[in-house]
Amino acid sequence: MEKKTLKQRIKQNPALKKAVHRFIMHPVKTRPNWWIRLFYFVYLKRGKGSVIYRSVRKDLPPFNQFSLGCYSVVEDFCCLNNAVGDLFIGDYTRIGLGNTLIGPVRIGNHVNLAQNITVTGLNHNYQDAEKLIDEQGVSTQPVTIEDDVWIGANSVILPGVILGKHSVVAAGSVVSRSIPAYSICAGCPAKVIKSYDFATKEWKKSKMIPTSNY
């Protein structure tokens, strides 16, 4: 008979799960209690030379994973949240001022996020019109930002999106569909406006490039 892990036992026991969650998370502030935050240094994975500025809000309970790669930086006034999904940030990546990252999110290497960007793998359920939205729980779809991506200021990256390698998101865009590698997107909702042609070695304008099947 296969032995159950402690995490599996907790998940399968609703009363125990509720008690453990209450011990870890503040019921109103919806962030780890102060006694959990004291142990960030134990369970948060940090690469060599990485920097998280003091003003960053770290809503990072231990029941999901968080890692920050080597020589990566999370600048002032950001919020990092892995309460509903893992949050991974690669090497040589910069998370700019005032960004909000809500897992499940995986960010690659040499990625640059400008200022006031939201990247979220979380959606609030709303389908039952006879119940309050905040009583219906949440659903998640992972966001993947591949290597060498640049995201302009004030953009929003929504659940389920994949941003391909060396893609660019113009400032103020709302990205609701995946964007192919080596392309530039802009708008609300964001659409591909240019893509790189390796044959001619030029960025070419595009009338319409499908983004949903990437």
Side-chain angles (χ1 to χ4, degrees), residues 43-148:
Y43 67 86
L44 297 185
K45 295 181 180 179
R46 300 272 303 275
K48 179 182 178 182
S50 64
V51 176
I52 300 179
Y53 282 91
R54 186 173 295 181
S55 63
V56 173
R57 174 164 168 160
K58 297 184 287 293
D59 293 351
L60 300 169
F63 45 74
N64 286 314
Q65 296 183 69
F66 170 83
S67 67
L68 180 65
C70 297
Y71 304 105
S72 290
V73 177
V74 182
E75 295 188 2
D76 283 313
F77 311 116
C78 289
C79 177
L80 305 174
N81 188 315
N82 73 339
V84 295
D86 299 333
L87 178 55
F88 300 109
I89 301 170
D91 300 333
Y92 298 96
T93 287
R94 180 169 293 270
I95 308 300
L97 294 166
N99 283 209
T100 298
L101 307 181
I102 303 174
V105 170
R106 182 179 292 272
I107 299 174
N109 305 319
H110 297 278
V111 174
N112 282 282
L113 275 65
Q115 301 77 39
N116 304 313
I117 293 165
T118 296
V119 180
T120 177
L122 174 148
N123 258 325
H124 286 273
N125 299 328
Y126 64 90
Q127 288 81 0
D128 189 341
E130 297 182 359
K131 290 180 66 175
L132 297 172
I133 292 174
D134 62 11
E135 292 179 345
Q136 296 188 49
V138 301
S139 56
T140 60
Q141 288 181 281
V143 173
T144 300
I145 300 174
E146 296 182 352
D147 296 344
D148 191 26

Side-chain angles (χ1 to χ4, degrees), residues 4-22:
K4 294 180 181 178
T5 65
L6 178 60
K7 191 172 184 179
Q8 288 173 330
R9 290 178 183 275
I10 292 172
K11 282 185 175 181
Q12 293 173 3
N13 186 323
L16 180 58
K17 181 179 177 180
K18 184 176 181 180
V20 170
H21 192 273
R22 176 62 186 87

